[in-house]
Amino acid sequence: MDDSITLPGADWPVLEPGWVWLCGAGPGDPGLLTLHALNALRQADVVIYDALVDASILDWAPAAEHIYAGKRGGKPSADQRDISLRLVDLSRAGRRVLRLKGGDPFVFGRGGEEAQTLVQHGVPIRIVPGISAGIGGLAYAGIPVTHRDVNQSVTFVTGHDQSGEAPSSLDWRAIAAGSQVIVIYMGMKHVERISGALLDAGRPADEPCAVVTAATTGEQNVLETTLGTMAGDIAASGLEPPAILCVGRSVLMRQALDWQAMMAGHPARDLDPLGRGKPAESA
Ligand code: SAH
């Protein structure tokens, strides 16, 4: 199907037969797709998608074949190579292929590996970044991933390594000392170990933390907690992955910026959660 989008002022690329476009789908809310991803959905004749891609997004490619790649980020997946080679086969069969991955394909999504395999097999590719859960998911919880009064740096960390274990190569002391805000993907399974490592490295037990599950979807849930209580609170809450964990004082900004609560009619809890003084009156 060639149904590329037409908007004034932009030259929208055509997804040609034999090409693979590796696109981010964002964290869930279909409205967070990029226009390039929408353009791909309108033209693809096959879409290979991951577990974290919201099903309603596929409705935007009704004529395409939908193939579920069935892998969840963080789980050891022996089938990664199969997925990449399947993409190669589809390209060689002259299909217009959209490989749709949750969030951003190059952020803890193994998109780099898939792209590399495609290039090694001579398959022409286009990469379309997406909104990553660690940024967009926090924004939907009213948490700015950077905020001038809080952090001049942010560290994105995975809570799993390739074998599904807590990553042993991470230097938690260096992260604890050097990162004002730490955003953890795939952190639920090993939250006790991760929070313990940060506490051991000197981060305060009362440091604000947030756990945002199913961010940007209708099932989004936000748990506000502290580093010392996070693991216990998660266990008690029964919250399930996918979740983004955020460690740092930017979490406090949610008290002012929980815009979803405000849309539902609740006032901000605190207009100045960092105690920096209220903004001057406007003239
Ligand atoms: N490429 C993706 C990350 C894939 S790894 C991205 O850029 O967002 C999978 C992990 O991402 C999940 O375990 C979880 O930590 C996080 N994640 C993805 N979607 C999420 C969502 N809607 N809500 C919360 N966390 C999410």
Side-chain angles (χ1 to χ4, degrees):
M1 175 166 82
D2 183 358
D3 194 14
S4 54
I5 55 176
T6 47
L7 283 175
D11 204 4
W12 294 98
V14 174
L15 174 48
E16 305 278 1
W19 281 65
V20 177
W21 286 10
L22 185 58
C23 299
D29 181 348
L32 296 178
L33 277 178
T34 63
L35 292 174
H36 275 310
L38 176 60
N39 185 35
L41 281 160
R42 301 279 287 271
Q43 300 180 77
D45 49 35
V46 50
V47 181
I48 300 207
Y49 64 100
D50 281 348
L52 287 174
V53 172
D54 195 277
S56 60
I57 288 172
L58 299 170
D59 293 345
W60 295 352
E65 181 185 353
H66 300 165
I67 300 176
Y68 176 56
K71 85 185 189 59
R72 271 296 286 274
K75 295 229 171 102
S77 48
D79 56 0
Q80 178 63 48
R81 196 165 163 70
D82 296 346
I83 296 169
S84 300
L85 292 177
R86 182 130 192 220
L87 294 171
V88 172
D89 288 344
L90 288 165
S91 154
R92 287 187 175 154
R95 311 287 295 274
R96 298 176 172 86
V97 185
L98 167 54
R99 172 69 173 119
L100 197 56
K101 299 177 74 78
D104 183 288
F106 280 2
V107 178
F108 300 131
R110 310 188 74 171
E113 292 164 58
E114 289 180 26
Q116 186 181 17
T117 303
L118 292 166
V119 170
Q120 285 171 344
H121 286 79
V123 173
I125 59 167
R126 182 181 190 98
I127 309 291
V128 177
I131 294 179
S132 192
I135 299 177
L138 292 181
Y140 266 48
I143 300 169
V145 75
T146 76
H147 188 69
R148 200 168 56 151
D149 288 334
V150 173
N151 61 324
Q152 288 70 48
S153 69
V154 58
T155 299
F156 297 104
V157 176
T158 172
H160 279 167
D161 67 11
Q162 290 194 356
S163 62
E165 292 306 310
S168 49
S169 61
L170 281 177
D171 182 345
W172 288 105
R173 289 199 167 274
I175 291 169
S179 311
Q180 294 140 316
V181 171
I182 305 164
V183 177
I184 304 158
Y185 292 69
M186 296 173 271
M188 293 288 259
K189 184 170 166 202
H190 298 303
V191 61
E192 201 163 344
R193 237 189 282 175
I194 292 167
S195 52
L198 290 171
L199 289 166
D200 286 349
R203 296 292 280 236
D206 64 354
E207 181 161 12
C209 295
V211 180
V212 187
T213 60
T216 82
T217 75
E219 276 83 55
Q220 173 174 306
N221 213 300
V222 184
L223 172 70
E224 292 175 35
T225 177
T226 64
L227 191 55
T229 53
M230 179 158 60
D233 284 351
I234 288 175
S237 69
L239 288 176
E240 300 271 350
I244 288 291
L245 316 181
C246 181
V247 178
R249 291 178 64 249
S250 46
V251 166
L252 295 176
M253 286 303 292
R254 175 173 155 80
Q255 295 173 18
L257 303 181
D258 183 359
W259 55 272
Q260 300 208 56
M262 290 188 248
M263 276 179 16
H266 304 288
R269 279 176 282 158
D270 185 346
L271 293 176
D272 185 24
L274 299 172
R276 293 297 161 137
K278 302 237 169 30
E281 295 284 323
S282 62

